Amino acid sequence: MDEKYLRLIKTMKALLNYIDAEHVFDKGIQTGRGAFDTSRSQEFDDLVEKAREAVKKAEDVKKIAK
């Protein structure tokens, strides 16, 4: 597998790990008196899941190619 694709897979895995470890959200609502409520939209969750699936497929191809 080409080195640039391996770097892309590695970077995508790092991004997904960061999203999970740091509890990244894409929505925030001011709830009053300085409180701020965060959440993830369905679209964001779907994109994260699709990225996970793409990384898994790419890793499977990498294993087969060896």
Side-chain angles (χ1 to χ4, degrees), residues 1-10 54-66:
M1 187 176 276
D2 193 340
E3 183 64 31
K4 63 184 173 185
Y5 294 112
L6 293 174
R7 282 195 318 267
L8 178 62
I9 293 167
K10 183 178 177 181
V55 167
K56 184 177 180 340
K57 286 180 185 177
E59 288 180 325
D60 290 345
V61 168
K62 184 174 88 172
K63 288 177 189 174
I64 292 170
K66 283 188 175 183

Side-chain angles (χ1 to χ4, degrees), residues 3-62:
E3 183 64 31
K4 63 184 173 185
Y5 294 112
L6 293 174
R7 282 195 318 267
L8 178 62
I9 293 167
K10 183 178 177 181
T11 302
M12 183 60 73
K13 284 177 69 172
L15 177 60
L16 291 169
N17 288 336
Y18 181 83
I19 287 170
D20 290 338
E22 298 299 325
H23 307 289
V24 175
F25 302 98
D26 67 328
K27 295 179 92 177
I29 299 171
Q30 186 76 30
T31 59
R33 294 190 180 195
F36 195 73
D37 187 27
T38 57
S39 63
R40 286 187 177 179
S41 67
Q42 186 63 46
E43 181 179 16
F44 184 76
D45 277 341
D46 290 345
L47 289 171
V48 169
E49 186 57 35
K50 286 179 184 178
R52 280 192 182 98
E53 290 171 11
V55 167
K56 184 177 180 340
K57 286 180 185 177
E59 288 180 325
D60 290 345
V61 168
K62 184 174 88 172

